[in-house]
């Protein structure tokens, strides 16, 4: 698939005013965890517990983006990208998780925004990419309603400081991961294994989204509001009733649980019934669902792979890190995930570009009132630096195939407004530590030295072609 002939033809298939970008998150890239008044997050605590991270590493240094604004913005500029998605570290801005502000933390993000804008790069800010202040976890974390209220305060603080220059706001990234990997399986921080609490956490993450979205819209009606959800096409392993039911359940928890409440103001009834085995839903108060159904301009789509499921399994997803994590599927622990025989990435995730087209067209059919953006898409492979270069042909093919899938969706009438590769650079990959590389840019973790991979060069060339085509029209 990877050849130069594909580039010009593919570039011409995208609309004008398209956001071409790459994405990162604060804990994975910033480092400087003790610098300038930053408080502790749940990840700072989690990584220090033996056995939580496969290589025993942490994000104390990461790739030191906190001290390298100029260099990282230059990388984004060199790639030809016109947009950059990054997240704010809640404990860097509000170390105590409340309304008291660390001005040095805000200054870092203000300087980053200014540097991006100076190079013609549009910032897309994610308010929450999993780094909850530890003090809020100590008070109960996302299973507690108070955390959603504190998050709304944080959103207002961030918007008050940056909203004069930033118009694109993603409230919460992948609440499925934050709730079910954080509070059910224990694979992610805070590492709890309480299925009932995970369902409450999922609700309060969505409540936090709604409160934050409404606060930002009240301050700036022209702001573009989104939420980042990770979607998977879900296939039954067979036509048996038990496998078909497993697919319904996984599709419901992974996909419909979040879209239905965000865009329709109600959780899917069948999944509510499934969850009643572990939850009485006493945490849902009058008005919550209407609050969650906040004005939404863009639905941010994170896509990596597909699921094939069986009701006769009992195995957890192949994505789980080998750290003894439990099931991420509360009330569905009997479901197993099986291979469809497709090629896989270094994470063991099956590669199916057509699944992205399927996700985008389904979302547009079911929720035609919102635009869509692919805000994460990428793959880990065991990259090697060879004589100053990284020839990552597998990733190049992955990106090209998924961009072609995006173009197919556009031509099918999907209002797709952007694509962000995950990730800009190799970084700290959560429970996998530094053992997995997703970046368009190779990072030598000992020195922090950056090298653009072949996939990054190819993507940059495609972006430049696409932009030149539109400018010439």
């Amino acid at each position: 698939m990877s050849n130069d002939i594909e580039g010009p033809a593919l570039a011409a298939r995208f609309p004008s005013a398209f956001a071409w970008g790459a994405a990162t998150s604060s804990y994975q890239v910033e480092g400087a965890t003790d610098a300038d008044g930053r408080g502790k997050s749940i990840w700072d605590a989690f990584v220090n517990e033996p056995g939580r991270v496969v290589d025993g590493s942490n994000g104390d240094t990461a790739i030191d983006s906190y001290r390298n604004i100029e260099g990282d913005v230059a990388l984004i500029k060199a790639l030809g990208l016109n947009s950059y998605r990054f997240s704010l570290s809640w404990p860097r801005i509000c170390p105590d998780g409340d309304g008291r502000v660390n001005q040095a933390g805000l200054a870092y993000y203000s300087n980053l925004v200014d540097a991006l804008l100076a190079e013609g790069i549009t910032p897309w800010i994610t308010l929450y990419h999993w780094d909850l202040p530890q003090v809020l976890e100590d008070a109960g974390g996302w299973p507690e309603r108070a955390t959603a209220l504190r998050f709304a305060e944080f959103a207002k603080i961030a918007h008050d400081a940056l909203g004069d220059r930033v118009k694109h706001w993603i409230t919460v990234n992948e609440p499925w991961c934050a709730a079910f990997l954080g509070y059910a399986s224990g694979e992610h921080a805070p590492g709890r294994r309480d299925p009932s609490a995970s369902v409450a956490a999922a609700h309060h993450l969505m409540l936090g989204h709604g409160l934050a979205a409404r606060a930002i819209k009240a301050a700036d009606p022209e702001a573009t509001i989104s939420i980042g959800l990770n979607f998977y096409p879900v296939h039954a392993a067979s036509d048996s009733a038990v496998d078909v039911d497993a697919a319904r359940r996984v599709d419901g928890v992974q996909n419909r649980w979040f879209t239905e409440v965000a865009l329709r103001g109600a959780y899917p009834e069948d999944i509510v019934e499934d969850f009643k085995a572990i939850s009485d839903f006493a945490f849902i108060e009058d008005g919550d669902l209407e609050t969650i159904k906040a004005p939404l301009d863009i639905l941010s789509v994170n896509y990596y792979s597909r699921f094939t499921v069986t009701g006769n399994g009992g195995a957890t997803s192949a994505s789980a890190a080998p750290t003894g994590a439990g099931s991420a599927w509360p009330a569905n622990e009997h479901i197993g995930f099986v291979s469809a025989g497709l090629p896989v990435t270094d994470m063991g995730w099956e590669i199916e570009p057509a699944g992205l087209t399927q996700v985008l067209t389904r979302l547009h059919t079911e929720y035609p009132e919102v635009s869509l953006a692919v805000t994460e898409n990428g793959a880990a492979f065991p990259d090697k630096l060879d004589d100053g270069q990284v020839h990552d042909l597998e990733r190049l093919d992955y990106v090209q195939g998924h961009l072609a899938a995006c173009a197919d969706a556009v031509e099918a009438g999907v209002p797709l407004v952007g694509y962000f590769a995950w990730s800009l650079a190799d970084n700290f990959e959560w429970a996998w530590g530094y053992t997995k590389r997703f970046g368009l840019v190779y990072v030598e973790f000992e020195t922090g030295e950056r090298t653009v991979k072949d996939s990054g060069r190819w993507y940059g060339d495609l972006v430049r072609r696409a932009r030149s085509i539109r400018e010439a029209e």
Side-chain angles (χ1 to χ4, degrees):
M1 182 187 297
S2 57
N3 58 72
D4 195 54
I5 296 175
E6 287 290 335
L10 182 55
R13 299 175 65 192
F14 287 90
S16 57
F18 197 73
W20 293 101
T24 62
S25 84
S26 52
Y27 188 77
Q28 292 180 274
V29 300
E30 286 179 6
T33 55
D34 290 325
D36 300 331
R38 177 188 178 275
K40 294 299 182 183
S41 80
I42 54 175
W43 277 94
D44 295 304
F46 183 81
V47 298
N48 287 321
E49 297 176 17
R52 293 295 200 180
V53 180
V54 296
D55 60 357
S57 64
N58 58 53
D60 288 356
T61 301
I63 62 171
D64 204 24
S65 288
Y66 183 78
R67 297 183 176 90
N68 196 31
I69 289 176
E70 182 178 346
D72 284 349
V73 172
L75 267 179
I76 300 165
K77 176 73 170 179
L79 287 171
L81 308 184
N82 63 13
S83 301
Y84 177 50
R85 178 191 170 206
F86 61 95
S87 75
L88 306 183
S89 169
W90 188 350
R92 194 178 295 283
I93 294 173
C94 299
D96 299 309
D98 55 19
R100 289 173 288 183
V101 177
N102 175 31
Q103 294 298 332
L106 271 181
Y108 164 68
Y109 295 110
S110 183
N111 292 337
L112 175 56
V113 167
D114 287 345
L116 291 166
L117 293 174
E119 296 293 351
I121 300 164
T122 300
W124 288 48
I125 285 181
T126 303
L127 288 166
Y128 186 72
H129 201 131
W130 310 346
D131 46 0
L132 181 71
Q134 181 61 39
V135 293
L136 294 183
E137 174 59 26
D138 292 341
W142 283 109
E144 296 297 323
R145 184 180 193 85
T147 304
L149 304 181
R150 300 291 81 73
F151 179 65
E153 295 171 355
F154 166 62
K156 186 176 187 306
I157 288 167
H159 185 266
D160 285 348
L162 305 172
D164 59 328
R165 289 155 288 162
V166 177
K167 295 302 177 183
H168 293 276
W169 296 88
I170 299 172
T171 54
V172 176
N173 182 72
E174 297 184 355
W176 183 92
C177 293
F180 300 126
L181 296 182
Y183 292 93
S185 75
E187 178 185 340
H188 280 188
R192 288 162 60 179
R193 295 190 189 178
D194 185 341
S196 178
S198 74
V199 178
H203 175 69
H204 292 135
L205 281 154
M206 295 307 294
L207 180 61
H209 151 73
L211 292 168
R214 291 177 182 278
I216 292 172
K217 277 291 191 182
D220 180 9
E222 300 303 313
T224 298
I225 302 296
S226 184
I227 184 172
L229 303 178
N230 50 323
F231 293 97
Y232 292 77
V234 182
H235 305 269
S238 76
D239 292 334
S240 71
V242 69
D243 287 353
V244 170
D245 185 64
R248 174 195 64 79
R249 287 168 173 264
V250 169
D251 178 64
V253 176
Q254 180 72 64
N255 300 323
R256 293 183 286 122
W257 187 256
F258 300 99
T259 53
E260 282 293 289
V261 72
L263 289 154
R264 298 289 178 263
Y267 290 116
E269 293 180 1
D270 61 320
I271 306 305
V272 170
E273 286 300 313
D274 294 341
F275 278 160
K276 282 182 179 178
I278 59 170
S279 177
D280 61 7
F281 292 98
F283 47 79
I284 298 180
E285 297 187 5
D286 290 346
D288 280 5
L289 301 184
E290 184 61 29
T291 296
I292 294 171
K293 188 188 173 186
L296 199 64
D297 302 292
I298 296 174
L299 184 57
S300 289
V301 175
N302 297 351
Y303 176 83
Y304 292 95
S305 187
R306 56 171 278 157
F307 287 149
T308 304
V309 299
T310 175
N312 295 312
T316 56
S317 169
S319 67
T323 54
S327 172
W329 301 93
N332 294 289
E333 290 85 355
H334 65 287
I335 293 174
F337 294 76
V338 299
S339 170
L342 298 172
V344 298
T345 71
D346 197 35
M347 296 290 288
W349 300 348
E350 291 190 308
I351 300 171
E352 187 182 49
L356 177 53
T357 309
Q358 178 184 341
V359 164
L360 294 172
T361 53
R362 174 188 179 183
L363 289 171
H364 178 52
T365 298
E366 296 180 357
Y367 312 104
E369 67 272 25
V370 293
S371 298
L372 304 176
V374 175
T375 45
E376 288 186 28
N377 176 240
F381 291 106
D383 305 318
K384 302 294 183 184
L385 186 63
D386 181 16
D387 196 23
Q389 299 185 65
V390 180
H391 303 300
D392 59 334
L393 180 60
E394 290 176 301
R395 181 177 296 101
L396 195 161
D397 282 348
Y398 181 100
V399 173
Q400 182 170 310
H402 285 78
L403 280 168
C406 288
D408 290 344
V410 169
E411 290 163 1
V414 173
L416 189 67
V417 300
Y419 175 91
F420 292 76
W422 185 271
S423 60
L424 174 65
D426 297 334
N427 54 42
F428 178 79
E429 188 50 43
W430 306 116
W432 290 96
Y434 297 99
T435 68
K436 305 295 181 184
R437 294 179 178 272
F438 277 86
L440 298 174
V441 175
Y442 183 92
V443 178
E444 174 52 62
F445 294 125
E446 294 298 321
T447 65
E449 183 178 357
R450 275 84 155 144
T451 302
V452 178
K453 302 175 187 178
D454 286 357
S455 62
R457 284 197 292 269
W458 181 90
Y459 180 49
D461 288 345
L462 178 81
V463 171
R464 280 183 280 269
R465 286 186 181 119
R467 295 173 69 182
S468 65
I469 288 169
R470 298 309 172 197
E471 290 168 0
E473 290 178 345

